[in-house]
Amino acid sequence: MQPDTLQTPDADVPDEALRQEYQELTETIRKHRAAYYNDDAPLISDAEFDVLYSRLELIEARHPAIVANDSPTQEVGGEVSAAFAPVEHLSRMYSLEDVFSLDEVTAWGEKTAANAALRAAGHELKWLCEVKIDGLAVNLLYRDGKLVRAATRGDGTTGEDVTHNVLTIKTIPTQLAGENWPAEVEVRGEIFIPSVDFAAYNEALITAGKAPLANPRNAAAGSIRQKDPSETAKRPLKMFVHGFGVRAGLAAATQSETYQLMESWGLPVSPYFKVVDTLDEVLGFIAHNGEHRHDLLHEIDGIVVKTDSFEIQRNLGNTSRVPRWAVAYKYPPEEVNTKLIDIQVQVGRTGRVTPFGIMEPVLVAGSTVSRATLHNQDVVKAKGVLIGDTVILRKAGDVIPEIVGPVLPLRDGSEREFVMPTHCPSCGTALAPAKEGDVDIRCPNARSCPIQLTERVDHLGGRGAFDIEALGYEAAQALTVGPGDDPAENGGIIAPAGPGPITSEAQIFDLAAGNPDDTLRRSLAEVQVWREIRSKGAGTGKFALVPYFYSKATAKKESGPTKTTLKLFDELEKAKTKPLWRVLVGLSIRHVGPTASRAMATRYGSMDKIIDALETEGAREALAEVDGVGTIIADALIEWFSIDWHLEIVRAWAAAGVAMEDEQDESIVKHLEGMSIVVTGTLPTYSRDAAKEAIIIRGGKAAGSVSKNTAYVVAGEAAGSKLDKAVSLGIQVLDEEGFVLLLEGGPEAVEGRPNPGA
């Protein structure tokens, strides 16, 4: 339940009951604050804490007489740990008022703009918007430009001395650069771990058999609270600064001006801020960063909006806990806690067997989630997850939900370990690693395993392959397996034993509209699936078998293909003309994705030439030299095309009319031969795939990361950290206009062109 949906307490609730609820709420909130701020091991999710805190605020707003002097609403942050020396800040570090809806942002902004003192003074009101870093708040004290102390926020007045640990962070200067810095200045900011570095660090921990860190925020906080600074130094920590405490003699009128000053002093300032004139622009900033939040360097949980003018900030002042001149809008939570009911396994299109958790359904990142990945048995062990645990669940945007780890203090002894199965749950074949040393185990029955066939058919219809909108997972399952005896299995992860109308993906294009033989299409009339019987718009819990691809016959109308089925036939026909690289992706060759497929299609141009190259002496070495392929993918290609039934799929698709050769445009010049080019952000007219295609067919490499070997970075809207790195390395940045010039005329066409990233 979100805070803005809480009901206001009933004014007629007996005083004793209300006081009891109030007391329990304050104790619960204090316990969770201590776990979050002092132990870096929260017992509940941020979203659950927000609900409790908002409930407390509502009670206090309704019944002011009940407010205790030591209420959590009168405090800032947590307490000071006994493990570190206490440090008193020169000026108080405030928290921010949290709001959870755009209406609340607008209401706060309108109230601020209507302030009588501001109107009387005739101040120009501008809003500074910046992303809210999900990290650890730290106060840096500089005297005569030298860093003398670093402290956590603590309770806002007193923090923990973490100077030795902060000194290990290379991006924080120990001596300020430039000039005109005050003799004494407190610099406030957030310490965080970049998302990419966090993922890599966790992967290394799991490989070493250690438990991964729960999330970047707790990892950053725990890193700074290490007793041994050498341990802190091992963590990939960074900091962005966003404000001052004491700043006597600072010659700046606005918050944004101070950011320019701090940057000139060598302090790391976030690139993700903007000064705007209107509340509509504030809401636009919130919407844009909500859509692109996972393109940023670090995790965020919201947007901070401040009045830019320091004079306005002084006029508005502070409450006992928060400034009136700033507010923090919080996005819907992407981490929640829920109960792990069971761990089962799913079998993928290449036979890989992956554990996944079945959980009590919970709302996270705007959708209800009841399943989440656990990757493999080693990850389950490393994370220490037991069936029956309360677990932290994370879903970042469209990313597959992932179980982060257990909430250990909530265990009661009833939990049990997960045991990996020894046989495929779909076909019963004994499971084993593909080769010695592999972590993953696989079902080797690739040709006949029903679920592997379902997964491969679903994959070939996906956006990265043939991009067939009407061929989703449910349609793939209906085509390849029977409905089973249990309604609960319909549409589930584990498919019952088949067969369906299609016994090999070789047959899929026989359904295309242009196929003169409609025998297979007619067989779809017999396909049935379980559907829940509904009454007055609600489910009844009872299921019935109903046709999937054909309409149900009535007294007035014969059964026939549904509109969706006819669309599937038409889209399969259109898919026959897709470029060769999509055909290669659609074949479900292990390790072979869009990048390698584009490289192979560009290098050889046709399926026949690829097969010929695979059969040539020295094929492995030749393939490995193709940019974007390498030895692992070369081995996978050679192995896949050596299997007869795989070649039958290629021949069947070709016979059905699937294009196995790309038309060569002789007018395209290989301007970009050997150049590594990175495309980041959103371009006005080029999709990401189209931009990569344009680079590859001109001989370039469409790289995914920026390095010193990158020739150009093409940056669109919301380019993010890749643009930042390009600028820091002095790499030329092109907008779309410059990109088009590069494609048409090569490097000479953009030589000396102004750099939009500088």
Side-chain angles (χ1 to χ4, degrees):
M1 182 166 53
Q2 291 298 307
D4 57 357
T5 63
L6 288 168
Q7 294 182 357
T8 303
D10 188 343
D12 297 325
V13 172
D15 285 347
E16 189 57 39
L18 186 65
R19 290 180 183 279
Q20 180 67 27
E21 180 187 3
Y22 180 76
Q23 183 63 34
E24 290 175 358
L25 266 176
T26 55
E27 291 174 2
T28 300
I29 288 170
R30 285 196 191 100
K31 178 182 76 172
H32 290 307
R33 266 191 171 173
Y36 183 88
Y37 286 107
N38 301 339
D39 303 332
D40 304 316
L43 303 176
I44 60 175
S45 67
D46 287 355
E48 291 169 299
F49 181 85
D50 289 338
V51 170
L52 294 174
Y53 194 85
S54 294
R55 176 67 176 174
L56 186 68
E57 287 184 314
L58 283 172
I59 291 176
E60 292 184 345
R62 182 81 171 182
H63 304 275
I66 205 173
V67 180
N69 290 333
D70 62 349
S71 166
T73 64
Q74 310 303 305
E75 300 169 351
V76 175
E79 299 175 352
V80 177
S81 169
F84 294 89
V87 172
E88 190 167 328
H89 304 307
L90 302 186
S91 63
R92 188 171 185 183
M93 290 183 72
Y94 288 91
S95 293
L96 291 174
E97 178 185 356
D98 291 333
V99 296
F100 302 90
S101 72
L102 298 180
D103 286 344
E104 289 177 284
V105 174
T106 301
W108 171 84
E110 290 175 345
K111 180 181 178 182
T112 302
N115 185 285
L118 300 183
R119 288 204 312 271
H123 294 305
E124 182 183 12
L125 186 58
K126 289 183 179 289
W127 310 99
L128 184 142
C129 307
E130 58 193 4
V131 299
K132 185 174 181 291
I133 303 172
D134 197 9
L136 176 71
V138 169
N139 185 48
L140 307 176
L141 176 61
Y142 286 88
R143 288 198 179 111
D144 296 323
K146 184 177 180 180
L147 178 62
V148 296
R149 191 174 69 201
T152 63
R153 186 203 324 256
D155 63 6
T157 300
T158 304
E160 301 150 326
D161 190 332
V162 290
T163 307
H164 292 299
N165 290 344
V166 168
L167 286 171
T168 68
I169 302 175
K170 296 177 182 177
T171 56
I172 298 176
T174 56
Q175 175 66 50
L176 296 179
E179 55 188 4
N180 297 328
W181 19 264
E184 185 173 63
V185 60
E186 286 182 308
V187 178
R188 272 83 190 263
E190 294 280 330
I191 289 176
F192 62 91
I193 297 180
S195 303
V196 172
D197 294 337
F198 180 74
Y201 190 82
N202 262 353
E203 188 175 333
L205 288 176
I206 291 171
T207 301
K210 299 177 181 179
L213 304 175
N215 58 50
R217 188 270 163 198
N218 291 340
S223 300
I224 290 300
R225 290 192 174 100
Q226 293 286 321
K227 293 182 180 179
D228 183 357
S230 67
E231 290 299 314
T232 302
K234 296 176 184 178
R235 306 285 177 91
L237 298 168
K238 292 188 183 299
M239 182 179 186
F240 279 152
V241 297
H242 53 58
F244 289 113
V246 163
R247 54 179 185 269
L250 185 69
T254 66
Q255 188 92 24
S256 54
E257 286 179 35
T258 64
Y259 288 0
Q260 295 174 19
L261 274 174
M262 287 193 287
E263 195 165 25
S264 72
W265 298 342
L267 289 163
V269 177
S270 170
Y272 310 123
F273 76 91
K274 186 177 184 180
V275 178
V276 300
D277 297 321
T278 68
L279 286 175
D280 283 344
E281 290 176 289
V282 169
L283 299 182
F285 186 89
I286 290 171
H288 175 81
N289 283 282
E291 184 179 349
H292 295 281
R293 62 189 293 187
H294 301 295
D295 298 332
L296 306 185
L297 177 67
H298 50 68
E299 294 295 316
I300 66 172
D301 59 2
I303 297 296
V304 176
V305 185
K306 306 172 181 176
T307 60
D308 193 34
S309 163
F310 283 145
E311 190 170 355
I312 290 178
Q313 291 182 11
R314 286 191 292 270
N315 284 342
L316 290 170
N318 310 292
T319 69
S320 61
R321 188 177 63 89
V322 299
R324 295 188 180 93
W325 45 266
V327 73
Y329 168 79
K330 297 191 77 171
Y331 290 118
E334 294 192 315
E335 274 192 7
V336 296
N337 290 1
T338 188
K339 197 78 169 178
L340 179 62
I341 300 170
D342 197 7
I343 298 177
Q344 296 183 6
V345 297
Q346 61 185 5
V347 184
R349 60 190 172 90
T350 61
R352 181 188 177 202
V353 180
T354 306
F356 68 95
I358 298 176
M359 302 158 301
E360 290 181 356
V362 62
L363 185 66
V364 56
S367 60
T368 300
V369 173
S370 59
R371 299 174 185 266
T373 183
L374 280 162
H375 301 294
N376 60 49
Q377 67 272 26
D378 284 4
V379 171
V380 176
K381 185 176 179 180
K383 289 186 175 184
V385 176
L386 301 178
I387 297 169
D389 270 333
T390 296
V391 294
I392 302 166
L393 175 70
R394 178 169 175 77
K395 182 178 183 291
D398 295 328
V399 176
I400 297 170
E402 178 184 9
I403 293 171
V404 177
V407 184
L408 295 176
L410 297 182
R411 283 183 175 166
D412 60 12
S414 64
E415 300 81 12
R416 57 190 173 89
E417 287 190 12
F418 163 70
V419 179
M420 196 73 174
T422 58
H423 289 75
C424 176
S426 180
C427 66
T429 303
L431 302 175
K435 62 180 184 292
E436 189 176 349
D438 276 3
V439 173
D440 296 326
I441 60 173
R442 298 177 182 274
C443 170
N445 182 25
R447 186 173 192 177
S448 304
C449 180
I451 188 60
Q452 289 189 60
L453 175 58
T454 300
E455 294 283 345
R456 291 197 300 269
V457 171
D458 173 55
H459 168 75
L460 70 84
R463 289 184 180 179
F466 286 103
D467 194 14
I468 302 168
E469 184 181 342
L471 184 56
Y473 189 83
E474 188 179 51
Q477 192 173 45
L479 285 169
T480 55
V481 298
D485 298 325
D486 184 357
E489 289 183 334
N490 187 61
I493 298 294
I494 300 173
I502 288 179
T503 56
S504 168
E505 58 264 52
Q507 299 170 273
I508 190 69
F509 287 100
D510 292 339
L511 291 172
N515 182 11
D517 181 6
D518 65 354
T519 303
L520 181 61
R521 289 202 296 271
R522 286 199 302 271
S523 72
L524 299 187
E526 306 301 320
V527 175
Q528 293 183 307
V529 295
W530 290 104
R531 285 279 187 262
E532 186 176 12
I533 299 170
R534 303 183 70 81
S535 176
K536 298 180 180 178
T540 63
K542 298 178 181 179
F543 291 80
L545 283 169
V546 298
Y548 185 84
F549 293 104
Y550 274 57
S551 61
K552 195 171 184 179
T554 64
K556 295 182 179 180
K557 190 175 181 180
E558 292 184 1
S559 175
T562 65
K563 289 182 179 179
T564 301
T565 302
L566 292 173
K567 183 178 181 181
L568 172 62
F569 297 161
D570 288 340
E571 289 194 353
L572 282 166
E573 183 65 25
K574 294 174 185 175
K576 293 179 183 180
T577 62
K578 294 292 176 74
L580 179 60
W581 73 265
R582 289 188 176 274
V583 179
L584 287 167
V585 174
L587 291 172
S588 285
I589 306 168
R590 190 180 175 195
H591 303 306
V592 179
T595 299
S597 295
R598 282 191 180 97
M600 291 291 291
T602 301
R603 171 66 178 81
Y604 295 103
S606 74
M607 188 68 73
D608 285 342
K609 290 181 180 178
I610 290 173
I611 294 173
D612 288 344
L614 292 167
E615 295 173 349
T616 304
E617 187 176 350
R620 183 177 189 266
E621 291 73 20
L623 289 171
E625 289 179 1
V626 176
D627 194 18
V629 177
T631 55
I632 293 175
I633 294 175
D635 287 340
L637 285 162
I638 292 169
E639 180 184 356
W640 194 91
F641 279 95
S642 70
I643 297 172
D644 288 343
W645 70 269
H646 289 166
L647 292 174
E648 289 173 10
I649 297 170
V650 176
R651 288 192 287 266
W653 286 3
V658 176
M660 293 290 168
E661 182 174 1
D662 284 339
E663 292 184 10
Q664 300 298 316
D665 187 345
E666 301 299 333
S667 66
I668 294 178
V669 181
K670 304 285 186 179
H671 293 300
L672 310 179
E673 195 74 51
M675 293 184 181
S676 177
I677 300 170
V678 175
V679 180
T680 181
T682 304
L683 298 176
T685 59
Y686 273 89
S687 69
R688 189 70 62 87
D689 281 344
K692 288 181 177 180
E693 188 84 16
I695 293 166
I696 291 169
I697 63 175
R698 288 165 175 80
K701 176 185 177 182
S705 59
V706 179
S707 73
K708 62 182 181 181
N709 297 320
T710 303
Y712 301 97
V713 168
V714 180
E717 190 176 0
S721 59
K722 293 178 184 177
L723 174 58
D724 300 336
K725 188 169 184 180
V727 173
S728 69
L729 292 174
I731 295 167
Q732 184 168 4
V733 177
L734 302 174
D735 55 15
E736 186 173 289
E737 183 181 349
F739 180 50
V740 171
L741 290 174
L742 178 68
L743 296 177
E744 293 176 347
E748 292 182 3
V750 295
E751 189 174 347
R753 185 177 175 82
N755 189 344

